[in-house]
Amino acid sequence: MNIILLGPPGAGKGTQARRLVEERGMVQLSTGDMLRAARTSQTEMGKRVAEVMDSGNLVTDDIVIGLIEEQLSYENSNGYIFDGFPRTLAQADALGELLDKVDKRLNFVIEMRVDDDVLVSRIVGRSTCDGCGEVYHSVTKPQPVTCGLCGSKIFSRRADDNELALKTRLMAYYKDTSPLIGYYYAKGNLRSVNGLQDINLVAEELASVLWG
Ligand code: AP5
């Protein structure tokens, strides 16, 4: 089972991807996480990536396609969750070619439907465990003193989780990424899930779309 989670910033892609990793043993490939790791390297590329991400704009296609290519292999049999990739039509074409090379196919593309007006509160309320990456929210999933999964006491907030960068991220979503909805509809593997529900209900709906 190889799937794409598609949706605007704050739609809940990362939250649901982590559950599928824990519950189904799938492999999450988040280009956002890979780029956040790359930006901490003190290379020129890392510095450029950090600037682009903090502004809310998209990193170039060749960089993110290269990151995904490094991770795909024949061996993984539990399936990939593409989280935050592809984000442009060029990335979508490249993903198709990369999957062919490792003899895999895309089963479903899940559009996580949300209203824009919930996104600001989801983004500004988010914090992430530094130890394991578990995502919390000040209202819907309050951050504990120690992380419920790994016991770490250190949490951080993303540099692009502010209203100004969110506006740019949303513009990028509507301009560059939302055309993928039509692209995958035409290919026949688009499904949608109501991302406005409680986190557990979203997970249930997603499981029923994927496994019936
Ligand atoms: P990326 O890291 O991919 O961020 P994003 O797509 O903007 O998505 P988010 O991670 O912000 O949101 P999410 O949908 O995962 O929501 P989450 O589950 O955390 O990308 C960051 C940047 O990297 C981009 O702007 C770009 O610069 C670059 N980049 C990445 N990939 C790229 C690519 N392919 N090409 C080019 N550039 C790329 O949930 C959010 C909050 O809401 C959490 O606090 C959570 O607890 C809460 N929540 C989740 N679900 C629910 C629910 N159902 N009800 C209530 N609260 C909920």
Side-chain angles (χ1 to χ4, degrees):
M1 177 71 77
N2 300 301
I3 66 167
I4 294 173
L5 295 181
L6 191 64
K13 305 180 294 293
T15 300
Q16 296 301 328
R18 289 181 63 81
R19 285 182 73 132
L20 291 172
V21 171
E22 281 160 31
E23 292 166 13
R24 307 271 177 172
M26 295 176 77
V27 174
Q28 177 186 13
L29 294 183
S30 158
T31 40
D33 288 348
M34 293 175 203
L35 290 166
R36 277 183 284 282
R39 64 179 284 165
T40 58
S41 69
Q42 290 310 311
T43 60
E44 275 313 305
M45 196 268 257
K47 285 180 201 155
R48 272 206 316 279
V49 163
E51 260 172 48
V52 175
M53 289 180 86
D54 290 352
S55 70
N57 286 301
L58 293 184
V59 173
T60 55
D61 288 337
D62 54 337
I63 291 181
V64 287
I65 291 167
L67 289 171
I68 289 289
E69 186 169 17
E70 281 172 16
Q71 301 292 323
L72 289 182
S73 72
Y74 289 97
E75 280 83 40
N76 167 31
S77 56
N78 287 344
Y80 289 109
I81 309 156
F82 297 96
D83 164 11
F85 180 90
R87 259 174 152 97
T88 63
L89 290 167
Q91 291 178 24
D93 284 340
L95 177 61
E97 287 165 21
L98 292 176
L99 285 171
D100 281 348
K101 273 197 209 164
V102 290
D103 210 15
K104 297 197 183 295
R105 72 184 187 93
L106 196 56
N107 298 82
F108 293 111
V109 176
I110 306 293
E111 180 196 4
M112 304 199 54
R113 289 208 174 147
V114 285
D115 294 336
D116 289 351
D117 48 10
V118 305
L119 299 179
V120 176
S121 60
R122 285 201 186 174
I123 291 293
V124 299
R126 171 167 55 189
S127 58
T128 307
C129 170
D130 276 11
C132 66
E134 183 66 354
V135 179
Y136 293 96
H137 186 274
S138 52
V139 176
T140 57
K141 191 177 171 187
Q143 174 190 309
V145 178
T146 55
C147 174
L149 281 192
C150 74
S152 166
K153 289 183 170 20
I154 306 168
F155 300 86
S156 53
R157 293 185 42 73
R158 279 169 42 177
D160 58 346
D161 275 355
N162 58 72
E163 287 196 42
L164 185 64
L166 178 61
K167 272 189 195 153
T168 310
R169 287 159 69 191
L170 266 179
M171 287 297 285
Y173 177 77
Y174 286 114
K175 182 167 157 278
D176 298 310
T177 309
S178 65
L180 298 184
I181 293 169
Y183 176 99
Y184 286 115
Y185 175 79
K187 284 186 179 280
N189 41 15
L190 184 75
R191 304 288 183 277
S192 74
V193 161
N194 175 7
L196 287 170
Q197 309 169 90
D198 169 88
I199 291 173
N200 293 324
L201 295 178
V202 178
E204 277 173 28
E205 190 183 341
L206 182 55
S208 107
V209 168
L210 298 179
W211 290 283

